């Protein structure tokens, strides 16, 4: 799994790999939800064109990557997958449930009015976030993700309050970048 997101992010054998979050404005990809792994479910190949952050709620999930590496996450642990990263997810300890949230990044406008420039300035370097981390390590990420899960995507996406999903995602990614 030698994607561009991994280059320049060495990790020790005991630490999960790190991903470079791109510069840009986080964008909700119109998908988040709760998944219950039913008994007898076969491993599932995942390959998404956007970022995906999983929050394991119970049991244990394992992601196996094309290069043979494997990451596992138990209750209150998170896994982040960058775009176009094939992985096979399976249950490694029952009864597995998790939340998922898809998101992307769009480029900031190239010409920004002077009074808005403070809103678009930030670090010149992207943040390197671990692919696996826990609630204990990143309590603000956990709180922001929990707040996102309290929003009903199916009712909000097309409705007049869809901005709440976008705001919740921006808060989540801001805490993720601060943790990184």
């Amino acid at each position: 799994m030698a994607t561009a997101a991994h280059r320049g992010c060495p990790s020790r054998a005991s630490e999960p790999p790190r991903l470079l979050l791109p510069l840009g404005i986080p964008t909700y990809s119109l998908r988040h939800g709760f998944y219950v792994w039913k008994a007898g479910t076969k491993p599932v190949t995942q390959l998404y064109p956007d970022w995906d952050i999983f929050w394991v709620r119970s049991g244990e999930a394992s992601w196996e990557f094309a290069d043979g590496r494997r990451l596992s996450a138990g209750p209150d642990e998170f896994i982040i997958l960058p775009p176009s990263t094939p992985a096979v997810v399976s249950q490694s300890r029952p009864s597995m449930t998790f939340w998922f949230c898809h998101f992307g990044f769009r480029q900031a406008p190239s010409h920004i009015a002077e009074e808005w420039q403070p809103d678009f300035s930030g670090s010149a370097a992207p943040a390197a976030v671990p692919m696996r981390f826990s609630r204990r390590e990143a309590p603000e990420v956990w709180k922001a993700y929990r707040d996102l899960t309290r929003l009903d995507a199916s009712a909000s996406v097309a409705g007049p309050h869809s901005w709440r999903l976008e705001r919740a995602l921006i808060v989540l990614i801001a805490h993720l970048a601060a943790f990184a």
Side-chain angles (χ1 to χ4, degrees):
M1 183 172 78
T3 66
H6 291 97
R7 287 188 206 118
C9 293
S11 64
R12 294 184 213 138
S14 62
E15 294 180 9
R18 291 185 168 267
L19 305 169
L20 295 177
L21 293 176
L23 298 176
I25 302 165
T27 304
Y28 179 70
S29 293
L30 305 177
R31 294 180 304 198
H32 80 274
F34 189 69
Y35 187 82
V36 176
W37 194 274
K38 295 186 169 120
T41 300
K42 303 275 188 227
V44 177
T45 300
Q46 298 178 324
L47 178 63
Y48 301 108
D50 52 7
W51 290 79
D52 203 354
I53 181 169
F54 298 90
W55 170 21
V56 176
R57 300 289 294 131
S58 63
E60 184 176 84
S62 293
W63 282 262
E64 187 171 339
F65 302 97
D67 65 2
R69 283 189 295 165
R70 185 179 197 92
L71 287 177
S72 294
D76 282 336
E77 292 183 325
F78 301 86
I79 297 284
I80 301 175
L81 296 183
S84 303
T85 301
V88 176
V89 66
S90 60
Q91 175 178 261
S92 47
R93 187 175 62 218
S95 299
M96 185 177 72
T97 62
F98 58 80
W99 280 94
F100 60 89
C101 177
H102 293 267
F103 61 98
F105 291 90
R106 66 178 180 265
Q107 295 298 315
S110 58
H111 299 292
I112 302 168
E114 189 172 325
E115 64 270 18
W116 292 355
Q117 286 182 2
D119 291 334
F120 288 95
S121 63
S123 172
V129 66
M131 287 180 77
R132 186 187 65 69
F133 58 92
S134 70
R135 170 185 177 177
R136 183 183 49 76
E137 295 169 313
E140 296 302 316
V141 172
W142 173 80
K143 288 176 193 171
Y145 206 134
R146 182 194 59 195
D147 291 345
L148 174 69
T149 67
R150 293 177 174 168
L151 298 174
D152 180 7
S154 63
S156 301
V157 171
H161 303 289
S162 60
W163 61 270
R164 289 182 178 156
L165 287 168
E166 198 77 25
R167 178 183 64 185
L169 176 79
I170 290 171
V171 169
L172 172 61
I173 303 308
H175 285 300
L176 187 62
F179 165 65

